[in-house]
Amino acid sequence: MTQKTWTAVDDYIEAKLVPADSVLEGALAASEEAGLPSIAVSSTQGRLLMILAQATRAKRILEIGTLGAYSTTWLARALPRDGKLITLEADPKHAEVARKNLKHAGFGELAEVRLGKALETLPKLASEGHRPFDMIFIDANKNDYPGYLEWAIKLSRPGTLIVADNVIRDGRVADAGDSDPNVQGVRRMYEIAAAEPGLKATAIQTVGSRGYDGLFIAVVDGDN
Ligand SMILES: C[S@@+](CC[C@H](N)C(=O)[O-])C[C@H]1O[C@@H](n2cnc3c(N)ncnc32)[C@H](O)[C@@H]1O
């Protein structure tokens, strides 16, 4: 099996199950036009995020890593009108494109882009004393994944769903000797998850138009 096959199958799934959507496609086009990197989730992954948010009846979602708000828009689609989504982005240009895309998608009020390094924004968010989040999607710099998981647990309640992208890294995650900081960051996140009694977690390897990678999925099921 090759990348060509994985992409062809993703195209097939998209044609069958992911309806064409001018708003989402427009968000990708605007991101590309602004020179943002092409590293958003695929449409099939975006739809999975929406399905997970809808299935868990999420009303409050936290996203770490916004880019041009493509995944943000998928997640926002699952929220009720009185829902709230906060998404964290370190790059001012990405945040600006994201805000425009969210406004265009009709989520200018419901979704809030917070600019700054997420490890600095997360404590501020905690100090604001919001209700816990129902779903948290981690998709920013991988070397900080351990801190992101720790904050996700702190900002959650029993039942909160935590999803993190890019946790397989072409299979390199299984190599303890791999010195890449991103691999090490993801490995440390697995260790934190394994040592956290209040978390039921798994990870699923995936192939598709984005190559070979995978998703970490966990539910908070105890006191934290
Ligand atoms: C993979 S992209 C996010 C893709 C987006 N979730 C999507 O699928 O449409 C990662 C984003 O995280 C941002 N980022 C990198 N380091 C960050 C940090 N320390 N804090 C917050 N955001 C960061 C990058 O600027 C980039 O926009």
Side-chain angles (χ1 to χ4, degrees):
M1 290 296 143
T2 62
Q3 181 60 57
K4 199 173 155 207
T5 310
W6 303 337
T7 302
V9 174
D10 250 0
D11 289 347
Y12 170 78
I13 297 169
E14 187 181 59
K16 286 287 177 212
L17 301 178
V18 186
D21 188 311
S22 60
V23 170
L24 284 160
E25 283 152 24
L28 286 181
S31 301
E32 195 183 335
E33 203 172 307
L36 270 52
S38 235
I39 50 173
V41 295
S42 66
S43 63
T44 53
Q45 290 166 337
R47 198 158 160 90
L48 172 66
L49 292 172
M50 184 188 73
I51 290 167
L52 291 174
Q54 201 172 332
T56 53
R57 297 177 187 272
K59 285 187 88 171
R60 290 179 48 79
I61 298 178
L62 172 66
E63 178 181 62
I64 305 175
T66 318
L67 192 65
Y70 180 72
S71 55
T72 322
T73 303
W74 275 109
L75 287 165
R77 289 261 172 94
L79 285 173
R81 276 173 182 271
D82 62 343
K84 181 78 190 167
L85 193 159
I86 297 177
T87 182
L88 314 185
E89 174 55 55
D91 187 313
K93 187 174 164 193
H94 297 187
E96 189 192 329
V97 174
R99 286 190 184 114
K100 277 191 197 150
N101 282 338
L102 287 166
K103 197 169 172 204
H104 183 246
F107 296 129
E109 296 289 316
L110 184 143
E112 183 189 337
V113 182
R114 294 224 184 166
L115 179 62
K117 289 188 175 171
L119 283 183
E120 290 167 15
T121 313
L122 285 160
K124 289 183 199 152
L125 204 54
S127 72
E128 289 169 18
H130 296 288
R131 278 184 292 124
F133 291 95
D134 306 311
M135 178 171 172
I136 299 173
F137 177 47
I138 301 172
D139 191 23
N141 54 320
K142 314 308 162 195
N143 55 316
D144 282 332
Y145 267 30
Y148 295 157
L149 181 61
E150 283 171 341
W151 276 107
I153 293 168
K154 282 183 199 147
L155 294 167
S156 67
R157 53 152 176 88
T160 294
L161 186 70
I162 301 173
V163 179
D165 197 12
N166 309 121
V167 300
I168 301 297
R169 315 214 58 78
D170 278 318
R172 291 168 64 183
V173 72
D175 179 2
D178 195 315
S179 59
D180 182 309
N182 295 331
V183 173
Q184 287 302 322
V186 170
R187 284 180 62 87
R188 178 82 191 109
M189 185 199 68
Y190 278 85
E191 279 158 30
I192 289 167
E196 175 56 63
L199 199 68
K200 276 200 191 95
T202 189
I204 297 295
Q205 302 182 64
T206 59
V207 292
S209 58
R210 298 291 182 276
Y212 168 42
D213 213 320
L215 284 175
F216 170 91
I217 304 180
V219 65
V220 177
D221 70 350
D223 294 335
N224 56 67

